[in-house]
Amino acid sequence: MTGPVLKPRSTSRTRRVPPLSLALDPSSPEPLHRQIGEQMRRAILEGRLEPGARLPSSRLMAQDLDCARGTVVLAFDQLVAEGYVVSQAGSAMSVAANLPDEMLTVPRTGTPSQGKSVAKPAVARRTRALLAEVSPPAPAGPPLAFPTGQPDREAFPFALWAKLLEREWRRPGSEAASAVHPFGHAGLREAIATYLGVARGFTCDPAEVVVTTGIRHGLSLFAQVVLDAGDTAWIEEPGFVGVREALATSGVNAVPIAIDESGFSPDAAQAQAPDARLAVVAPAHHFPLGTVLSLQRRLELLSWAERAKGWIAEDDFDGEYRYSGRPLAPLRTLDRSGRVAYFSSFSKLLFPALRLSFLVLPASLVEATERITDRVSVRAPLLGQGALARFIAEGHFATHLRRTRQLYAGRREALLQAAAHRLDGLLTIAPDPGGMHVIASPTPEIARRFDDVAVTAAAAAEGLTVQPLSVCYAGRARRHGLILGYAGTPEAEIDRALVKLRDVVIGATGRPKRQGRR
C-alpha cells in the first residue's frame, strides 16, 4: 500500500527534510501509531531523516495520512520516550541531534543491503580453535547417510512418548510443582537404578544417580568434584572430542594415551603421566575405533585407582548395542573399592533432542556432589524426566532397545556388504561387533592422498554426513579415515549413499574411475 509523501515546511533555522513516504495499512493487526513510529524510526536510523531535522506537525501528518491526530501524537510520544525525537516548548518536533554516528549507519532490523559485505564478528582465540575442530551442523531434513551418534528417527515410539508427556503434565507428581533435587527427578533416578541392576549387571542406590545433559556436562561436574585445577587426567587417543572439552572447562590437564588392540594401557599411561588422578575410558566399546578393553587391562586399571586413590570415569555411551552375544559387562561391575563413576546417554539410545544422560557416582562422593552441584554446574532440564521415568519403568525402554538392536544389526550388515562392492580399492571397513558406527580406512593405494577433513567437506556438499577420524586425535600423530554411522541411515539409502561417497573419494584423491563398479 503506497502512502502519501510528506513534505515538511522548512525554515531558515532548520534543515529541509527530504520527502518521506509513510505507508499505513489499516488491515494490519499492528496499530496505526506503531506503524507510524516504526517507519519514522527506520527513516532516522537509515539517514533519510537527519539529526536536527524538523518534523511536520501532528496535525499536518494526520491530514496527510488520513488518520486521527491522536494516532500521530501517540507515535511521537513513543519516539520521544525512546530518544529518537525531541520536543521543545513553543517549537515543532525534530530529530534528536545527538544520536551516535554508528547508530545511524546500521539498519536496526532487516537484512544487510544487497551487494554490501558484512564484517564477521571477532571471536576469541579459543573459539577459533574450536571452530577449526568441528564440522558445520548437518542440515535439517530427512535422514542423511552417515551421521555419527544418530539413532533411527522412525523407530522411536513418539506417539507413546507424547502420551507419557501428557500424562506427566496433566497429573504431575509433587516434584514437578516443587523444588527438584539437584540430581534430577527422583522417579527417573529410581528407574535408572532399577534398570542398571537388571540389564547392566550392577546395583546402585538411586541417590547415586545424577541426571545430566550429556558426557560434557557429567564429566565436567565429576572432574570439579574429584580434581583440582591443573591436575592431570588420562584420556584415550583417539577419543571423543567432548571428553577433552569437558576436562578443559574444568581446568584439568588431559594427557592422551594411545590405545592398542587391547584398549587403554594403564602401564603406558603411568609411564607417560605418573601423577594422573583420573582415567576417562570407554571399556565396552571405544570411540571411535570400537576396541574392547581386555579383562587384564580392566583389572590393572582398577588396581591403579585403588592403589593411587585415583578415579575412573567409565563412558558406556552405546554398550547396549552388541550384535554377537550379550552386551559386555561394565567396568563398574568389577569395582570393589568405589573408584568408578559410570556415564551413559539416553540421547544416543532414544533421540538426540531429548538431551538427557546420567552419571552414577561412587557412593563416597554423593554428599559432596549434592552440596556443590548448583554452584559449579547447571541442572538438566526437568521437562521429559518424568515421562522418561515412566518409559523405563513400564518396560518401553527395554522393548525399544531390543527392537533397535535387531534393526541396527541389519543396517550394519547391509553397510558392510555394500561397502565391499562400492568402496573396493578405496576404503576398507573392519567389522565391529557393536556400536552404531564403523571406521572406513583408506587403502594403501590412496592413503598418502587421502585427507579425511577435505573428504568430509566434499561429502557434505553432496548431501552426505560423515565424520573425519583425524579430529578425534589430540596429538600430532593422526590416523585418517571416515567414521560412518549407520544406525540413523535407512537401509534403502545405504547403497545409493555409498555410490556418492565413492565418487567423492575418487574426486578428492584424484584416482581414475573404474568402469563396471556402479
Side-chain angles (χ1 to χ4, degrees):
M1 178 177 179
T2 303
V5 177
L6 304 182
K7 297 181 179 180
R9 296 180 177 87
S10 63
T11 70
S12 59
R13 294 178 298 172
T14 59
R15 305 174 194 174
R16 182 176 180 83
V17 180
L20 177 63
S21 178
L22 299 183
L24 301 185
D25 182 3
S27 64
S28 172
E30 186 174 29
L32 295 181
H33 72 276
R34 289 187 182 176
Q35 296 183 41
I36 296 172
E38 178 61 26
Q39 293 179 59
M40 295 287 289
R41 187 182 298 110
R42 290 189 61 82
I44 294 170
L45 292 176
E46 294 170 3
R48 290 181 284 125
L49 281 177
E50 298 179 355
R54 186 176 180 180
L55 299 175
S57 69
S58 59
R59 180 178 56 82
L60 289 175
M61 281 191 66
Q63 290 177 357
D64 291 334
L65 293 172
D66 193 23
C67 66
R69 183 182 178 187
T71 300
V72 178
V73 171
L74 280 175
F76 275 167
D77 287 347
Q78 183 63 33
L79 292 171
V80 170
E82 293 175 356
Y84 293 97
V85 171
V86 295
S87 173
Q88 296 179 353
S91 62
M93 299 280 187
S94 61
V95 178
N98 60 346
L99 295 174
D101 291 341
E102 63 271 17
M103 182 181 178
L104 306 178
T105 57
V106 182
R108 183 167 176 265
T109 58
T111 57
S113 301
Q114 189 173 5
K116 294 183 180 180
S117 61
V118 179
K120 293 184 177 180
V123 295
R125 286 191 299 272
R126 61 182 177 180
T127 301
R128 292 196 295 270
L130 285 175
L131 290 173
E133 291 185 358
V134 300
S135 303
L144 299 174
F146 298 93
T148 306
Q150 172 69 59
D152 185 78
R153 302 180 186 182
E154 302 299 326
F156 186 75
F158 282 104
L160 169 63
W161 180 252
K163 292 180 181 178
L164 294 176
L165 281 173
E166 181 182 15
R167 189 191 313 169
E168 179 66 18
W169 287 102
R170 280 186 179 275
R171 296 189 298 274
S174 59
E175 268 195 306
S178 61
V180 181
H181 191 279
F183 288 177
H185 191 286
L188 177 56
R189 296 162 63 209
E190 183 175 352
I192 290 172
T194 301
Y195 175 80
L196 292 174
V198 173
R200 303 302 287 137
F202 70 89
T203 59
C204 65
D205 192 284
E208 300 167 10
V209 178
V210 185
V211 181
T212 67
T213 61
I215 184 64
R216 291 176 176 86
H217 178 199
L219 184 57
S220 177
L221 171 62
F222 183 68
Q224 292 188 71
V225 173
V226 301
L227 300 181
D228 292 318
D231 281 351
T232 298
W234 297 324
I235 63 172
E236 295 173 318
E237 174 80 334
F240 179 50
V241 175
V243 168
R244 303 201 303 263
E245 295 172 350
L247 294 176
T249 60
S250 303
V252 175
N253 176 35
V255 177
I257 307 298
I259 68 165
D260 56 27
E261 64 278 359
S262 297
F264 181 88
S265 172
D267 288 342
Q270 292 174 78
Q272 190 168 337
D275 60 341
R277 298 187 55 221
L278 171 66
V280 185
V281 295
H285 188 246
H286 170 265
F287 181 88
L289 301 183
T291 309
V292 175
L293 187 63
S294 67
L295 177 59
Q296 181 179 349
R297 294 273 178 89
R298 292 180 183 221
L299 296 176
E300 290 174 357
L301 189 58
L302 289 168
S303 177
W304 162 82
E306 184 173 0
R307 184 177 63 255
K309 304 301 179 185
W311 302 95
I312 302 170
E314 177 183 13
D315 184 9
D316 192 24
F317 62 98
D318 63 1
E320 295 282 4
Y321 291 119
R322 189 165 181 83
Y323 310 114
S324 57
R326 291 181 57 81
L328 300 178
L331 182 64
R332 174 89 179 215
T333 62
L334 301 175
D335 182 23
R336 297 294 179 266
S337 57
R339 313 303 298 185
V340 177
Y342 178 86
F343 298 77
S344 189
S345 170
F346 292 112
S347 300
K348 290 183 175 64
L349 302 178
L350 302 180
F351 58 96
L354 183 62
R355 301 297 298 166
L356 289 177
S357 300
F358 66 92
L359 150 67
V360 182
L361 291 165
S364 62
L365 299 178
V366 170
E367 182 181 356
T369 307
E370 181 179 337
R371 292 176 61 183
I372 73 164
T373 293
D374 284 337
R375 299 192 64 178
V376 302
S377 183
V378 296
R379 300 188 186 193
L382 181 62
L383 181 64
Q385 290 191 36
L388 181 56
R390 296 175 185 267
F391 190 78
I392 297 172
E394 295 176 8
H396 307 301
F397 182 59
T399 300
H400 177 73
L401 289 179
R402 286 194 298 269
R403 183 169 56 247
T404 53
R405 194 177 290 123
Q406 294 179 350
L407 176 66
Y408 299 164
R411 291 181 177 181
R412 168 183 169 274
E413 187 62 29
L415 174 59
L416 293 175
Q417 290 184 5
H421 173 59
R422 298 300 185 187
L423 303 180
D424 182 37
L426 295 172
L427 301 173
T428 59
I429 298 178
D432 188 337
M436 302 165 69
H437 72 273
V438 293
I439 300 293
S441 302
T443 62
E445 301 171 84
I446 68 167
R448 290 187 177 182
R449 304 189 303 274
F450 187 86
D451 182 338
D452 57 4
V453 174
V455 172
T456 297
E462 296 298 323
L464 300 177
T465 302
V466 299
Q467 182 177 340
L469 174 61
S470 63
V471 302
C472 297
Y473 288 81
R476 293 186 177 181
R478 300 180 176 221
R479 171 183 162 190
H480 282 246
L482 299 178
I483 305 175
L484 307 181
Y486 53 81
T489 305
E491 195 167 328
E493 292 186 17
I494 290 177
D495 188 71
R496 181 169 61 251
L498 288 176
V499 171
K500 279 188 176 183
L501 182 59
R502 176 182 181 83
D503 291 342
V504 166
V505 174
I506 289 174
T509 59
R511 173 165 178 178
K513 290 185 179 182
R514 288 191 289 175
Q515 301 298 321
R517 304 300 298 176
R518 302 179 70 87

